[in-house]
């Protein structure tokens, strides 16, 4: 088995002319394949992006965009 690998490795020693366009395309494909493989094999799958500070949490304290300032401000007396 190792002889076949050594023979294959020696056969790769010949010169081949490659266009720059093909070289860039090959490098791009390898880079994108690496990114996709890294995403697929990553141990972390459930990632939440944000600070989770309570915005849009559904607790009923949203302000209407058409309030316009006609409302009076009131303070709760304790």
């Amino acid at each position: 088995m190792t002889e076949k690998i050594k023979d294959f490795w020696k056969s790769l020693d010949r010169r081949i002319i490659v266009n720059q366009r093909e070289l860039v395309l090959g490098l791009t494909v390898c880079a994108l394949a690496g990114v996709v493989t890294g995403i697929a094999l990553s141990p972390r799958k459930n990632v939440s992006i944000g600070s989770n500070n309570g915005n849009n949490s559904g607790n009923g304290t949203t302000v209407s965009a058409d309030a316009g300032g006609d409302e009076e401000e009131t303070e709760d007396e304790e």
Side-chain angles (χ1 to χ4, degrees):
M1 184 69 175
T2 58
E3 291 180 18
K4 289 183 180 180
I5 294 173
K6 288 180 182 179
D7 290 339
F8 175 71
W9 190 254
K10 288 179 183 178
S11 71
L12 297 177
D13 196 23
R14 58 189 167 126
R15 292 187 154 232
I16 297 176
I17 298 173
V18 178
N19 293 334
Q20 285 182 342
R21 185 177 295 166
E22 292 174 355
L23 181 64
V24 170
L25 181 63
L27 291 174
T28 304
V29 167
C30 287
L32 291 175
V35 169
V36 169
T37 303
I39 290 172
L41 297 178
S42 67
R44 200 163 180 184
K45 301 291 184 200
N46 298 327
V47 177
S48 175
I49 299 174
S51 62
N52 294 326
N53 62 359
N55 290 339
N56 298 326
S57 62
N59 59 3
T61 59
T62 58
V63 177
S64 176
D66 59 348
D70 292 336
E71 300 175 16
E72 295 178 8
E73 294 183 13
T74 59
E75 294 182 7
D76 291 335
E77 295 179 14
E78 293 182 15

